Structures are given as structure tokens and as C-alpha cells.
């Protein structure tokens, strides 16, 4: 794994953008040639997906034609999800793909660190302790060394700890440290097998008025250390303003509700110098940095040649530039190895391909296969230009198979080939590499240095096409894909995956037992190959048992699935355990579940995770049995409540009162008032349900994006704030010990607030009328008590409950005390 391996790593940064099916316009190709002629690098650093400034990234890519990479320290695992029920690691995968989609729009690259987004943090001290500061700092230094940026830009201020999200401040603090440390060969010397020490020229903070508290404060502030950049540029060859591109990029963060309306006109961004010399021209943050080919030994001729291509470029026929581009390709190929060689070779080859309208498709017969299996593929090649070209051969990597073709490619004539290939028996699965090992609270485990930071698992299974193009030999690599036609959406591509011969999953993420009655545990088995046979069974901790002990499995067709029901018996005493499922087949063990994430704006994702579930035996009583649930932004609370014996019906916000009164409780999902317009008109009916004896439970809403006035949300005055308690271990103090919610039907105690996950709660009300009873109090270290996490008011014959406690995290995680408290909330008014 020496220099050649690292060059493959560098090329993978380019392939994530250029390995797309869409043909670029002549204007976009012209812009790519401009970028080919620029040799400068910028690194933009922040903490999460959607932290990046897409206006700045798009400007640096499309106006300055720089190689710009966004380093997001996390994958956003700890956020919420507005488009589905995926949270934690699965949400991190969605947000990773949304970042890649955003970069395909704005032209940037994307990298990550090993840091795991564990949820909101109020101070960088907490963040850096949970993240393992040394390891994340190592990752930032690794990124600087391998990219060798001329300029680093921080999105957040490193000098204001405690004033904003701890992850935000930490990202800036680590960037400042890494800027000054990456040039030292004494630090992380194991990296130097692949990279060299590097110190960038300048470090900026991408500041704005909100760093100063208000626009008025910013107007008065000393700006002598700020560079100003107008990022409102209009690009005639693309037909869009930079800010329009930025809005499209930003809108890719759909699971966070980041859709943006495009803007036009002059837009000023500010860059505060933190390290390095201040440019004399404060409108040019790159002043004095040579961004041309002249900075590379022997590069002058390359720059001159690309300049001629730009001067003679034909928007009517980009293929006229191909002969000169082939010369540029050869000139770059003959250069000594440097950080730009692999990247610029990949870029010029893609420009040649796009200029020719060269279409290459490699389609597998099914979306996945297993190691050692044989599968057919179909190849389509079309040269949609008059450029003389010949397909010499096709190689299949990493199998080492090849097929000699030697076919001339007539203009606009389609060439089709078919091939049977055998997947290597030792080929790794293509699940996200950072999930291969069980993550820690704040860190993913990635032992392979060359994988660290990559946005996705590299696609090892490829086809390499060798072409002779006007006498020059050029190769193109194409990852294998699967394609099908949807009757509504049309042609759909998705990645071709290498997956196990069988998958096993437990249907429910958690099993909650309030008594000795057994529960059915449904285990699903799916074949990844034809004619699969084996035995499915469970790993059971002491005290737990099932009937039967196992089942035989016989599946004749790939993709066929079978469901098995085990009766799971709990122990007599309280217990929290993990139960896993596995298949034994001829000495091989298959213990991974397959999760598919399918949304229109990102490629289909296949994720392999351990087939496990949490099982909890608790002392639990419930009153009532029928619950109405209005889904908000998406959560798994309904399924969790069904686990403890409730019938949960998902209903519309406009359900009539005569139907509502049939339910023992009405629950609104998280952020319901942020996502459901109809609640503005339905609230009156919901409040009448309470007056007639119902129990209405409203889970947290954010202060922004409400679909109605904040005063219209509750039946009695309360004010939602942005306050939260991010420490899941924060002490819980009971303010109303004699309130029914603390006593019936479950007598709550201090232990019920142990072992919560990620946080206590968020967006707690900070003001409320005396009609409410505040039940609990808690706070993060060094902060004032927050008493608004659970508020209950009696209205008419019923109860209205507003809670910011994070039940949407605690219940799916199987936290016993959270179930006992929630059951008491549902039981209000039913304990007589």
C-alpha cells in the first residue's frame, strides 16, 4: 500500500463527482477546462453536514476554479430527520449522501473525520472529551497533508467556547491547531509514508454579522482584518448566478429541511485573517499565491496549452478541443509524481470523454451479488462525436479478466457487449466502511489510514476501457451499476453492491417486557444467492429463552425471504440484554441485517449492520390501551408503544372529534407543529378532545419553521425556547412528587432516569402560565435549572402534556424509565 495506492485514493476524490451518467453542456465543459488550468487548493472546515457555506464553496469552484474540499468532522448522526424515521448511524448515511449530492451541484469535494455526532454539545470541552481530541486532530492534520491546501477557511469561531454548539467551536479549534501542526514531521509520523508535512499559506474565518450579535454591531466593527469577496457572480456559460447554484446545493440537505429559495445580485462574504499574512488587496484572499501551472516544475507548457484550448474553444462543438486535450493529457502523464498529477489526469480524461459525448454504461443484471458468484453484465458505448476512436479492450477489476475488442467507434452508433464475470471469493462487502466495527460514543473506528476521511466505501469492482483516440491511448474506469426503469420516474441508476449470501434481521429494535408473558420475536431471513440452506437461531443471554430453539432455512431463489417466529421468554428479574440472530450454513455464519435507504435525491444505500435487538424486562403497568398518534417529522415512538401493549393508530390532524374521543390518549410526534400545516386549523378540535376527558401529549417543537403562530400551539400560554439539556446523565430533580404522573400506575424513582441516551431533552419551554405544573427539573453543568421539560395542565375533564424530554430517542433505545414515565403520562385521568 505505497504510492500507487495513495494515487488511487486521490483519484477516488474525483470519481465521486465525475462517475455520473449525465452529459455536461458545452458551457459546463468550458468551465471544467478553466478549472483544469487552475492549480490551487482550499480546505473549508466545519462540524456537520449543512454547516458549510455553499455560496463560498460554489464561488471558489465555479468562479475561482479552485480545488475546494469541505471537511465535515461528523456525518450528522446526532440530528433529526424530517423525511423519514432513520436516526443515528442511518441518518448519518443519508446526510453523507446529501453532502455528496450538494458537492455535485456546487463543484466541491467532500471529506470527513472519524468523529461521531453524538448530539448537541454546549461546550468544546465536552465535545473534545467525547470525540477523542487527539484522534480527530490527527484526522484534520491528515486531511491538510494529503490535500496540501493553499488556504484553509473555518466556518466557526475558535475564540468563543460556550457561545454556540460545542461541535462548531471544536471544529474551528482543531483547524487552528492543525494549521500550525501539520507542517511538523514529528507529529503523526506514520502518515508520512503517504503524505508530506504541509503548512498552508493562510487561515481565514468565514465571518458574518451574526458572529457580532447583530448587523448594527457588525456595521460598527473594525474590518481592517477582513477580506471581502462578492460571491454573487453570474456565470453566462452556465446560465446561473453563483447564489442560485448555492441555493440548489443547500437544498440537497433535505432531511434537515434546508431547502432554499435562490437569490441573485451582489452578495458579500467576509474572511477574517487568523494565520498568515494579510493580503494587501483585501478583495483577493489569494493574493501572492500562484494558482497557475507555473508553480509546478515543468508546468508552464501545460498552462500555455490549456490557455490555447480555452481561447479556441467551440461552444457549438466541444469535440474540436479533443486533439489539444490529448496533448495536455500526455504532458501531465509525463510529469514527475506530485499531488496534482493523479487529480489532473482524472480531470482531463473526463473532459475528453465529455467533449466527445462518449457514453459508457456498465450495467449488472441485478443490484447486488455475493463473493464467488457469477453475474452477467451489459455494456453500452456510444461516441457521439466525429472524433476518430477505437475501443481496444475491456478489463474487469479486480478479477484480472479482459476482453479484446478492437472496434472502431462510428459516430453516434451504439455498441453493445455482454459478459459473464465471477465476483472474487475474497471480495469485501460494500457496506459503509465506518460501520464495520462497533462505534464508540464519539468516534468511529477505522484502522485503515487510507480509508479515513473518504465519504463512502471505494468501489473496487470496475470495468476499465482502453480507447485509442486519434492515435493516443486513454483508459476510463467505470464502477459497475444496476439500472432499471420506473414507470413514473423513468431510468433509475443505483450502485452495484457486494453483499453476503444471506441476511438475517430481527423485526423489532427493542422488546419491552412488563410481565412474564412471552413475546413473539419475528426473525427475517433473505437469500443473497439461489438455493440457500442453513439454520437460523438466536444468541440468548442467561435467563432468556425461546421456543423453538432454531428453524431450518431453505430458500430457492436469490432475493427470496422467509419469516420465522420465536417466542421469547424473559427472566423473572429485571434485565437489559442484547439478543442477536444468526444463520449457520455449512460452517459459515451470517449475522448481518440488510437495510436499504431509498430516497429520490440520493443513490440507494445498502447497509449491513449486526442483526440484534435489545430486550428489557421491567416493572411496568399501563392503564388504557388505545392511542391516536399524529406523526410529525418522523419517529419510532408508535412502534415502541406497541411493544408495551398499546394499540397505536396513526391518524390525520383533521380527524373529527367523534373519532378522537374513542382514544385513551392523543400523541403528537416530534416537531408536529413544524411540519403539519393542518394543525393550525385542527388545534381547536384537539383541545376540545382534552376538555372532554382526553389526554393530549405534545412532544418537542423547534422555535423556527412553525406552521402557525407560537401562541396558537398550546391551549394555555407557554413559550418554547431553544434551551436544552444535552448531558444524558444530568441530575433529574422532581418538583411535583405527589403529581399522579410520578405515582400511577408506576411509582417512579431516581433509577428511572439512569441510562438515558444522547440527551435529556431539547427546546424546553422557558415560560408558562400558572395553570401548568412543572414536574421535573434538570440542567447541564454550570447552568441554571430548566423546569420546563415536562409540563402538565388539567383542562376541563382531561390533561394537556407538553414535553421536551427526548422520548423519541429513549423509547426506541429501550430505556426502562422512559417507558414507565411515558406510560404514566398516557394514564393520566385513568387511575381512578
Amino acid at each position: 500500500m505505497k504510492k500507487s495506492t495513495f494515487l488511487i485514493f486521490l483519484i477516488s476524490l474525483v470519481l465521486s463527482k465525475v462517475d455520473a451518467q449525465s452529459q455536461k453542456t458545452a458551457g459546463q465543459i468550458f468551465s471544467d477546462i478553466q478549472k483544469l488550468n487552475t492549480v490551487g487548493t482550499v480546505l473549508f472546515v466545519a462540524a456537520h453536514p449543512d454547516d458549510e457555506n455553499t455560496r463560498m464553496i460554489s464561488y471558489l469552484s465555479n468562479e475561482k476554479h479552485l480545488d475546494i474540499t469541505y471537511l465535515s468532522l461528523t456525518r450528522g448522526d446526532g440530528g433529526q430527520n424530517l423525511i423519514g424515521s432513520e436516526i443515528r448511524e442511518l441518518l448519518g448515511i443519508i446526510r453523507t449522501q446529501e453532502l455528496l449530492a450538494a458537492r455535485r451541484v456546487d463543484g466541491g469535494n467532500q471529506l470527513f473525520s472519524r468523529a461521531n455526532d453524538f448530539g448537541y454539545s454546549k461546550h468544546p470541552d465536552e465535545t473534545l472529551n467525547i470525540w477523542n481530541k487527539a484522534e480527530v486532530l490527527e484526522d484534520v492534520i491528515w486531511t491538510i497533508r494529503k490535500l496540501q491546501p493553499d488556504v484553509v477557511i473555518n466556518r466557526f469561531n475558535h475564540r468563543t467556547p460556550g457561545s454556540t454548539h460545542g461541535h462548531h467551536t471544536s471544529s474551528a479549534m482543531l483547524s487552528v491547531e492543525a494549521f500550525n501542526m501539520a507542517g511538523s514531521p514529528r507529529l503523526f509520523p506514520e502518515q508520512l509514508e503517504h503524505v508530506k508535512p504541509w503548512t498552508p499559506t493562510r487561515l481565514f474565518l468565514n465571518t458574518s454579522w451574526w458572529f457580532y450579535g447583530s448587523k448594527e454591531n457588525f456595521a460598527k466593527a473594525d474590518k481592517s482584518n477582513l477580506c471581502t469577496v462578492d460571491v454573487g457572480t453570474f456565470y453566462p456559460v452556465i446560465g446561473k448566478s453563483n447564489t442560485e447554484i448555492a441555493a440548489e446545493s443547500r437544498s440537497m440537505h433535505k432531511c434537515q429541511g434546508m431547502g432554499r429559495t435562490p437569490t441573485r445580485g451582489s452578495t458579500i462574504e467576509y474572511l477574517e485573517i487568523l494565520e498568515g499574512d494579510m493580503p494587501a488587496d483585501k478583495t483577493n484572499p489569494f493574493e501572492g499565491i500562484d494558482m497557475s501551472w507555473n508553480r509546478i516544475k515543468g508546468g508552464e507548457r501545460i498552462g500555455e496549452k490549456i490557455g490555447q484550448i480555452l481561447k479556441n474553444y467551440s461552444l457549438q462543438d466541444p469535440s474540436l478541443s479533443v486533439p489539444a486535450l490529448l496533448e495536455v493529457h500526455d504532458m501531465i502523464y509525463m510529469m514527475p509524481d506530485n499531488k496534482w498529477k493523479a487529480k489532473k489526469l482524472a480531470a482531463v480524461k473526463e473532459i475528453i470523454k465529455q467533449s466527445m459525448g462518449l457514453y459508457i454504461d456498465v450495467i449488472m443484471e441485478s443490484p447486488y451479488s455475493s463473493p464467488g458468484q457469477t453475474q452477467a453484465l451489459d455494456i453500452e458505448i456510444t461516441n457521439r462525436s466525429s472524433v476518430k476512436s477505437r475501443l481496444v479492450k475491456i478489463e474487469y477489476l479486480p478479477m484480472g479478466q479482459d476482453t479484446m475488442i478492437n472496434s472502431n467507434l462510428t459516430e453516434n452508433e451504439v455498441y453493445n457487449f455482454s459478459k459473464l464475470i465471477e465476483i472474487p471469493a475474497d471480495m469485501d462487502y460494500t457496506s459503509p466502511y465506518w460501520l464495520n466495527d462497533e462505534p464508540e460514543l464519539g468516534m468511529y473506528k477505522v484502522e485503515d489510514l487510507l480509508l479515513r476521511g473518504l465519504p463512502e466505501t471505494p468501489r473496487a469492482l470496475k470495468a476499465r476501457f482502453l480507447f485509442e483516440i486519434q492515435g493516443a491511448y486513454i483508459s476510463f474506469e467505470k464502477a459497475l451499476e444496476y439500472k432499471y426503469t420506473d414507470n413514473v420516474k423513468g431510468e433509475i441508476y443505483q450502485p452495484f453492491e457486494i453483499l453476503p449470501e444471506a441476511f438475517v434481521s430481527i423485526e423489532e429494535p427493542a422488546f419491552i417486557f412488563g410481565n412474564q408473558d412471552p413475546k413473539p420475536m419475528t426473525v427475517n431471513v433473505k437469500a443473497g444467492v439461489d438455493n440457500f440452506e442453513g439454520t437460523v437461531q438466536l444468541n440468548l443471554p442467561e435467563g432468556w429463552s425461546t421456543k423453538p430453539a432454531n428453524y431450518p432455512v431453505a430458500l430457492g431463489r436469490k432475493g427470496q425471504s422467509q419469516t420465522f417466529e420465536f417466542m421469547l421468554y424473559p427472566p423473572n428479574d429485571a434485565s437489559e440484554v442484547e439478543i442477536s440472530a444468526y444463520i449457520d450454513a455449512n460452517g459459515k455464519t451470517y449475522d448481518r441485517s440488510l437495510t436499504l435507504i431509498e430516497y429520490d435525491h440520493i443513490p440507494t444505500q445498502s447497509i449491513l449492520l449486526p442483526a440484534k435487538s435489545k430486550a428489557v424486562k421491567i416493572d411496568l403497568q399501563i392503564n388504557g390501551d388505545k392511542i391516536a398518534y399524529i406523526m410529525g417529522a418522523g419517529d419510532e415512538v408508535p412502534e415502541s408503544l406497541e411493544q408495551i401493549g398499546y394499540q397505536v393508530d396513526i391518524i390525520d390532524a383533521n380527524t373529527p372529534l367523534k373519532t378522537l374521543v374513542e382514544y385513551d390518549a392523543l400523541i403528537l410526534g416530534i416537531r408536529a407543529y413544524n411540519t403539519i400545516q393542518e394543525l393550525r386549523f385542527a388545534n381547536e378540535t384537539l383541545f376540545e378532545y382534552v376538555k372532554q376527558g382526553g389526554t393530549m401529549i405534545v412532544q418537542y417543537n423547534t422555535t423556527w419553521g412553525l406552521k402557525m403562530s407560537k401562541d396558537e400551539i398550546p391551549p394555555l400560554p407557554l413559550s418554547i425556547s431553544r434551551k436544552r439539556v444535552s448531558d444524558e446523565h444530568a441530575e433529574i430533580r422532581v418538583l411535583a412528587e405527589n403529581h399522579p404522573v410520578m405515582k400511577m400506575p408506576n411509582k417512579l424513582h431516581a433509577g428511572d432516569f439512569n441510562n438515558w441516551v444522547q440527551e435529556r431533552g431539547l427546546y424546553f419551554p422557558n415560560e408558562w402560565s400558572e395553570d401548568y405544573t412543572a414536574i421535573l427539573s434538570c440542567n447541564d453543568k454550570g447552568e441554571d435549572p430548566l423546569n420546563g421539560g415536562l409540563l402538565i395542565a388539567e383542562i376541563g375533564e382531561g390533561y394537556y402534556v407538553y414535553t421536551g424530554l427526548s422520548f423519541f430517542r429513549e423509547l426506541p433505545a429501550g430505556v426502562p424509565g422512559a417507558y414507565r414515565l411515558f406510560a404514566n403520562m398516557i394514564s393520566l385521568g385513568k387511575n381512578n
Side-chain angles (χ1 to χ4, degrees):
M1 200 180 293
K2 301 290 185 180
K3 184 181 295 182
S4 60
T5 304
F6 189 62
L7 291 179
I8 292 172
F9 165 81
L10 290 175
I11 292 172
S12 70
L13 298 182
V14 179
L15 292 179
S16 66
K17 292 192 299 178
V18 302
D19 195 30
Q21 290 299 317
S22 59
Q23 171 65 38
K24 293 189 175 183
T25 66
Q28 290 170 325
I29 296 171
F30 182 78
S31 181
D32 287 346
I33 298 173
Q34 290 178 304
K35 193 166 188 176
L36 182 67
N37 205 30
T38 305
V39 188
T41 307
V42 178
L43 177 64
F44 195 96
V45 182
H48 309 108
D50 74 39
D51 282 347
E52 80 274 27
N53 185 344
T54 55
R55 294 185 302 272
M56 182 61 72
I57 290 175
S58 179
Y59 173 83
L60 294 175
S61 176
N62 297 301
E63 172 63 18
K64 305 304 288 186
H65 308 297
L66 297 171
D67 193 73
I68 165 70
T69 296
Y70 174 41
L71 172 62
S72 175
L73 295 192
T74 77
R75 297 177 184 269
D77 325 73
Q80 285 83 51
N81 184 0
L82 295 183
I83 61 174
S85 60
E86 297 90 353
I87 59 174
R88 294 301 304 150
E89 288 82 6
L90 296 182
L91 176 60
I93 290 169
I94 294 174
R95 298 189 74 182
T96 293
Q97 290 299 319
E98 289 183 337
L99 271 177
L100 290 173
R103 298 295 80 81
R104 286 191 288 271
V105 172
D106 59 37
N109 302 303
Q110 185 62 52
L111 290 174
F112 296 89
S113 82
R114 286 171 289 169
N116 188 334
D117 179 1
F118 56 86
Y120 192 85
S121 175
K122 292 183 177 179
H123 199 281
D125 288 349
E126 177 196 29
T127 299
L128 295 174
N129 180 56
I130 294 177
W131 272 357
N132 188 329
K133 177 185 175 182
E135 290 187 358
V136 184
L137 179 61
E138 178 185 0
D139 289 352
V140 181
I141 289 174
W142 166 244
T143 302
I144 290 175
R145 287 174 171 177
K146 70 189 177 187
L147 296 182
Q148 297 182 9
D150 299 293
V151 168
V152 177
I153 301 175
N154 290 348
R155 185 54 171 155
F156 299 107
N157 193 342
H158 68 289
R159 299 161 297 197
T160 55
S163 64
T164 184
H165 197 323
H167 297 183
H168 292 170
T169 310
S170 295
S171 71
M173 293 169 64
L174 290 167
S175 179
V176 171
E177 286 192 55
F179 182 93
N180 292 294
M181 296 169 67
S184 172
R186 297 189 305 273
L187 299 171
F188 306 111
E190 64 279 3
Q191 296 181 359
L192 302 184
E193 180 182 357
H194 308 289
V195 294
K196 297 178 180 179
W198 181 261
T199 300
T201 302
R202 296 187 183 108
L203 173 65
F204 291 104
L205 164 63
N206 184 191
T207 191
S208 70
W209 66 263
W210 43 270
F211 283 96
Y212 293 76
S214 68
K215 292 181 179 179
E216 292 74 21
N217 290 344
F218 185 57
K220 300 173 186 176
D222 176 15
K223 300 183 180 63
S224 59
N225 63 339
L226 302 186
C227 289
T228 59
V229 180
D230 189 345
V231 299
T233 308
F234 176 67
Y235 307 123
V237 296
I238 300 177
K240 294 179 181 178
S241 294
N242 185 72
T243 45
E244 292 177 300
I245 296 173
E248 291 179 22
S249 174
R250 187 72 170 169
S251 296
M252 288 298 169
H253 296 295
K254 298 184 187 302
C255 73
Q256 301 301 293
M258 291 292 172
R260 292 294 182 266
T261 299
T263 61
R264 287 147 288 278
S266 177
T267 304
I268 303 299
E269 289 286 344
Y270 298 90
L271 296 173
E272 177 188 349
I273 189 72
L274 300 178
E275 298 280 356
D277 60 303
M278 181 69 179
D281 179 1
K282 293 183 180 179
T283 65
N284 181 12
F286 309 104
E287 184 183 53
I289 303 174
D290 188 356
M291 300 290 195
S292 73
W293 279 95
N294 295 337
R295 71 188 299 179
I296 300 175
K297 185 178 180 180
E300 297 89 344
R301 290 177 54 246
I302 297 174
E304 291 172 359
K305 190 66 179 180
I306 298 174
Q308 293 173 7
I309 295 172
L310 290 167
K311 182 178 179 180
N312 299 321
Y313 184 77
S314 170
L315 286 169
Q316 287 72 38
D317 188 358
S319 69
L320 296 176
S321 297
V322 168
L325 288 167
L326 290 169
E327 292 183 48
V328 170
H329 172 273
D330 291 344
M331 295 164 73
I332 297 173
Y333 184 81
M334 296 302 295
M335 290 175 60
D337 286 339
N338 59 71
K339 78 145 187 172
W340 286 102
K341 182 173 180 178
K343 185 167 288 191
K344 291 299 186 181
L345 267 179
V348 72
K349 289 201 293 186
E350 179 64 17
I351 292 170
I352 291 169
K353 176 174 171 285
Q354 292 286 342
S355 298
M356 295 173 61
L358 183 58
Y359 182 88
I360 304 174
D361 222 0
V362 188
I363 303 301
M364 303 298 283
E365 64 177 314
S366 68
Y368 65 91
S369 187
S370 301
Q373 299 297 306
T374 298
Q375 186 163 146
L377 60 79
D378 292 313
I379 295 172
E380 177 186 334
I381 298 176
T382 308
N383 173 19
R384 294 173 289 183
S385 74
S386 60
V387 174
K388 185 178 179 181
S389 58
R390 178 171 64 94
L391 176 60
V392 180
K393 71 173 181 177
I394 306 173
E395 297 177 83
Y396 305 96
L397 308 176
M399 292 79 74
Q401 298 174 259
D402 61 61
T403 303
M404 298 302 297
I405 304 296
N406 285 319
S407 292
N408 293 322
L409 301 179
T410 305
E411 181 178 359
N412 215 29
E413 184 174 331
V414 177
Y415 292 82
N416 295 109
F417 308 90
S418 296
K419 178 75 175 180
L420 284 175
I421 62 169
E422 183 177 336
I423 310 299
D426 60 350
M427 197 156 196
D428 292 335
Y429 303 138
T430 49
S431 188
Y433 69 88
W434 61 94
L435 298 181
N436 287 341
D437 294 318
E438 189 74 20
E440 299 172 352
L441 173 61
M443 296 294 294
Y444 287 114
K445 297 178 183 178
V446 183
E447 297 298 328
D448 188 340
L449 178 62
L450 296 183
L451 281 177
R452 291 179 191 171
L454 291 181
E456 3 176 44
T457 302
R459 301 281 166 176
L461 195 59
K462 304 174 183 177
R464 178 186 292 154
F465 299 84
L466 179 63
F467 291 88
E468 182 186 4
I469 301 175
Q470 294 199 338
Y473 287 91
I474 302 288
S475 65
F476 300 98
E477 289 185 1
K478 188 78 168 60
L480 308 189
E481 296 176 292
Y482 174 67
K483 180 174 69 174
Y484 66 96
T485 301
D486 183 273
N487 290 336
V488 175
K489 301 171 187 176
E491 188 177 62
I492 304 293
Y493 283 86
Q494 66 185 62
F496 175 72
E497 310 284 9
I498 306 299
L499 299 174
E501 294 178 334
F503 318 101
V504 59
S505 62
I506 302 175
E507 196 166 273
E508 297 293 339
F511 292 84
I512 312 299
F513 293 82
N515 52 45
Q516 295 303 118
D517 295 338
K519 288 181 178 290
M521 174 179 274
T522 302
V523 177
N524 297 309
V525 175
K526 183 176 180 180
V529 295
D530 291 338
N531 302 315
F532 179 82
E533 294 184 358
T535 302
V536 61
Q537 51 197 341
L538 301 169
N539 279 318
L540 295 169
E542 185 177 354
W544 295 77
S545 62
T546 63
K547 290 183 180 179
N550 56 62
Y551 283 99
V553 177
L555 299 170
R557 299 293 301 274
K558 174 181 177 178
Q560 184 179 352
S561 61
Q562 192 172 0
T563 299
F564 303 93
E565 185 174 280
F566 293 84
M567 292 306 297
L568 180 62
Y569 291 82
N572 294 325
D573 299 327
S575 176
E576 290 185 53
V577 299
E578 186 175 275
I579 295 175
S580 59
Y582 67 97
I583 307 166
D584 181 69
N586 298 320
K588 291 184 179 180
T589 299
Y590 301 94
D591 60 359
R592 298 280 159 165
S593 65
L594 174 64
T595 300
L596 294 180
I597 298 179
E598 299 176 287
Y599 292 101
D600 289 345
H601 65 300
I602 60 174
T604 297
Q605 300 296 299
S606 300
I607 302 98
L608 298 174
L609 294 172
K612 61 183 182 180
S613 182
K614 187 173 183 179
V616 182
K617 170 68 185 306
I618 61 176
D619 177 18
L620 178 70
Q621 302 294 323
I622 66 173
N623 285 333
D625 59 6
K626 193 175 180 184
I627 295 172
Y629 202 96
I630 300 175
M631 292 297 295
D635 58 65
E636 297 176 350
V637 172
E639 295 89 339
S640 299
L641 295 178
E642 288 176 339
Q643 275 285 321
I644 57 174
Y646 289 107
Q647 173 190 326
V648 183
D649 296 337
I650 306 300
I651 66 168
D652 294 328
N654 56 6
T655 299
L657 181 62
K658 66 179 181 179
T659 301
L660 291 178
V661 295
E662 298 174 2
Y663 291 96
D664 296 301
L666 166 66
I667 303 173
L668 272 61
I670 62 172
R671 299 178 71 171
Y673 288 103
N674 296 113
T675 57
I676 304 176
Q677 185 75 41
E678 291 82 359
L679 281 174
R680 181 175 187 179
F681 312 104
N683 249 4
E684 187 174 326
T685 301
L686 305 186
F687 298 157
E688 183 59 32
Y689 161 79
V690 176
K691 293 175 184 177
Q692 294 191 21
T695 297
M696 179 177 176
I697 301 172
V698 178
Q699 298 179 80
Y700 91 95
N701 292 271
T702 65
T703 56
W704 55 273
L706 293 168
K707 297 299 182 181
M708 64 187 73
S709 166
K710 62 182 181 179
D711 298 328
E712 296 179 278
I713 293 175
L716 298 168
L718 65 78
S719 178
I720 304 170
S721 75
R722 296 180 60 86
K723 296 181 181 295
R724 64 174 72 205
V725 180
S726 60
D727 182 359
E728 64 269 32
H729 306 296
E731 179 190 3
I732 295 287
R733 298 173 295 275
V734 179
L735 302 176
E737 291 184 359
N738 294 320
H739 194 282
V741 79
M742 294 301 298
K743 300 192 299 182
M744 296 183 291
N746 302 288
K747 176 68 173 176
L748 300 184
H749 50 78
D752 287 312
F753 300 100
N754 293 339
N755 301 317
W756 284 44
V757 299
Q758 188 161 327
E759 61 197 347
R760 287 298 190 191
L762 59 172
Y763 294 95
F764 287 4
N766 60 346
E767 295 180 359
W768 52 88
S769 76
E770 61 184 15
D771 300 287
Y772 291 98
T773 299
I775 306 298
L776 303 172
S777 177
C778 56
N779 56 272
D780 284 317
K781 184 178 180 180
E783 297 188 356
D784 294 333
L786 299 180
N787 299 337
L790 179 58
L791 301 175
I792 302 176
E794 294 186 53
I795 302 177
E797 300 297 321
Y799 287 84
Y800 177 84
V801 181
Y802 191 96
T803 180
L805 298 177
S806 60
F807 289 107
F808 75 103
R809 297 196 192 280
E810 313 312 321
L811 298 185
V815 176
Y819 276 95
R820 285 162 52 83
L821 175 54
F822 211 98
N824 283 9
M825 290 159 51
I826 292 172
S827 299
L828 287 169
K830 302 170 186 66
N831 295 304
N832 299 330

